[in-house]
Amino acid sequence: MASGQRIAVVGATGAVGQTTLKILEQRKFPIRELRAYASARSAGKTVTFAGEPVTVEKLDANSFKGIDIVLFSAGSEQSRQFAPIAVKAGAIVIDKSNAFRMDPEVPLVVPEINGAAARRHKGILACPNCTTIVTVMPLKPLHDLGRLKRVVATSFQAVSGAGVNGVAELREQTIAWSKGETIKSEFFQHQIAFNLIPHIDKFVEGGYTGEEIKLVNEIRKILDQPELLISPTTVRVPVFTAHSISINAETETKIAAADARKAFANFPGIRLFDDPAQNRYPMPILVEGQDDCFVGRIREDLSCPSALNFWVVGDQLRKGAALNGIQIAELLIA
């Protein structure tokens, strides 16, 4: 770490923070100095970077002196409190929480889609929600090809998207079921093992959830299409990692399935995985640990002549969170 950027990772002991450290190393991000921050209860622990232990420090108002870029993955409350302090200290903040996403002064960036927006930052840049990133990746090439008119998106979201408690609950419930023991639900609203829960975040006016409203608002902002019609449903499923989304996309100009396949195959960050005759289609078990979003089951809508149905799966800890933030940092230093 002799030359390069001075980087701080806030939330370094969490799932996204750990993934961030791993990807920084994998992509050989140029780092001169790395600092790891977390809450008081994690201070003193160590995380590993490039084979070396890094002591985790407690986050406070003096944490950002001399730092170039701060990668926040510690939650909205911490971001709202400390991101402005980091900017005042001279750092650029890349935030993965919901704190600044809809702020008109803050770019909401998916580098493959609207990377130019990163240059317009005023100290803070936001990463979209993990489900939004996986959903919007294949929407962009379709929008470029035929201009999106309406999108219906139903997500099937892994428990790790809810954090370590979600992962622990699925594991514990599965073990209890295998032993014939009573299954306890303490974190999710209902039993998650062997079940689906069509409820992520709080319900808001109109019967939608906060997660669903995020999907609508964030896709519109990323694509710069404030009037785009989007109908969302978000579902928690008993999968450990990788979110899946079933999408119906209607465009102003009809796009044939074959042309959509070409557009997906040529778009950065998307891997076309669509060969039904060989039972090849995206699944979480295949996509976990991958950087690309996998797209398959591409077919023309039987009910609408200018719409397509397809299925996309992305690792929400990587492209859905940690990787996207690091790609933004790469844009800033390019």
Side-chain angles (χ1 to χ4, degrees), residues 209-228:
T209 66
E211 185 83 351
E212 290 159 354
I213 299 303
K214 287 177 194 174
L215 192 64
V216 173
N217 292 337
E218 292 177 18
I219 289 174
R220 287 173 170 173
K221 183 175 179 179
I222 295 163
L223 295 178
D224 193 21
Q225 295 294 311
E227 304 301 322
L228 180 62

Side-chain angles (χ1 to χ4, degrees), residues 97-137:
S97 79
N98 191 41
F100 305 104
R101 289 175 186 156
M102 298 315 298
D103 186 327
E105 297 296 313
V106 176
L108 183 63
V109 180
V110 178
E112 297 90 339
I113 296 173
N114 64 337
R119 300 294 181 186
R120 299 193 293 270
H121 75 84
K122 297 181 179 179
I124 300 175
L125 301 98
C127 284
N129 178 274
C130 52
T131 311
T132 299
I133 293 176
V134 177
T135 304
V136 79
M137 282 289 287

Side-chain angles (χ1 to χ4, degrees), residues 25-282:
E25 182 175 346
Q26 290 171 345
R27 294 175 72 89
K28 295 180 171 54
F29 190 90
I31 295 178
R32 182 199 308 183
E33 178 185 357
L34 178 73
R35 298 184 200 168
Y37 293 103
S39 62
R41 67 178 179 273
S42 296
K45 295 180 179 180
T46 60
V47 293
T48 302
F49 180 77
E52 299 291 333
V54 178
T55 301
V56 177
E57 303 173 56
K58 178 186 175 184
L59 184 66
D60 62 35
N62 299 312
S63 296
F64 308 108
K65 184 178 179 181
I67 291 294
D68 298 310
I69 299 173
V70 186
L71 297 162
F72 271 84
S73 56
S76 297
E77 183 177 341
Q78 289 82 357
S79 294
R80 291 191 185 98
Q81 179 180 356
F82 289 105
I85 295 173
V87 173
K88 189 173 182 180
I92 298 173
V93 168
I94 300 171
D95 183 51
K96 299 166 192 171
S97 79
N98 191 41
F100 305 104
R101 289 175 186 156
M102 298 315 298
D103 186 327
E105 297 296 313
V106 176
L108 183 63
V109 180
V110 178
E112 297 90 339
I113 296 173
N114 64 337
R119 300 294 181 186
R120 299 193 293 270
H121 75 84
K122 297 181 179 179
I124 300 175
L125 301 98
C127 284
N129 178 274
C130 52
T131 311
T132 299
I133 293 176
V134 177
T135 304
V136 79
M137 282 289 287
L139 289 179
K140 172 60 173 173
L142 295 184
H143 186 59
D144 290 344
L145 197 58
R147 191 168 180 83
L148 290 169
K149 182 177 179 182
R150 182 172 184 262
V151 174
V152 181
T154 302
S155 70
F156 302 82
Q157 298 180 213
V159 294
S160 54
V164 294
N165 291 330
V167 173
E169 184 141 299
L170 175 57
R171 181 180 292 115
E172 290 163 6
Q173 289 182 356
T174 304
I175 293 171
W177 175 86
S178 69
K179 294 180 177 180
E181 299 173 352
T182 300
I183 294 177
K184 298 178 182 178
S185 300
E186 298 177 346
F187 182 70
F188 292 114
Q189 305 92 339
H190 303 279
Q191 176 184 322
I192 185 60
F194 315 102
N195 192 27
L196 305 178
I197 305 174
H199 177 187
I200 301 176
D201 207 339
K202 297 177 181 178
F203 282 104
V204 297
E205 186 177 354
Y208 288 90
T209 66
E211 185 83 351
E212 290 159 354
I213 299 303
K214 287 177 194 174
L215 192 64
V216 173
N217 292 337
E218 292 177 18
I219 289 174
R220 287 173 170 173
K221 183 175 179 179
I222 295 163
L223 295 178
D224 193 21
Q225 295 294 311
E227 304 301 322
L228 180 62
L229 299 175
I230 304 174
S231 180
T233 302
T234 56
V235 183
R236 187 71 69 190
V237 300
V239 169
F240 283 113
T241 305
H243 289 354
S244 307
I245 299 94
S246 174
I247 300 177
N248 177 274
E250 182 182 358
T251 50
E252 293 182 5
T253 302
K254 176 180 172 60
I255 302 173
D259 292 332
R261 290 187 183 94
K262 291 178 184 177
F264 292 142
N266 292 326
F267 194 79
I270 289 179
R271 188 179 305 183
L272 182 66
F273 199 76
D274 187 43
D275 189 355
Q278 299 298 320
N279 298 325
R280 286 168 57 85
Y281 30 71

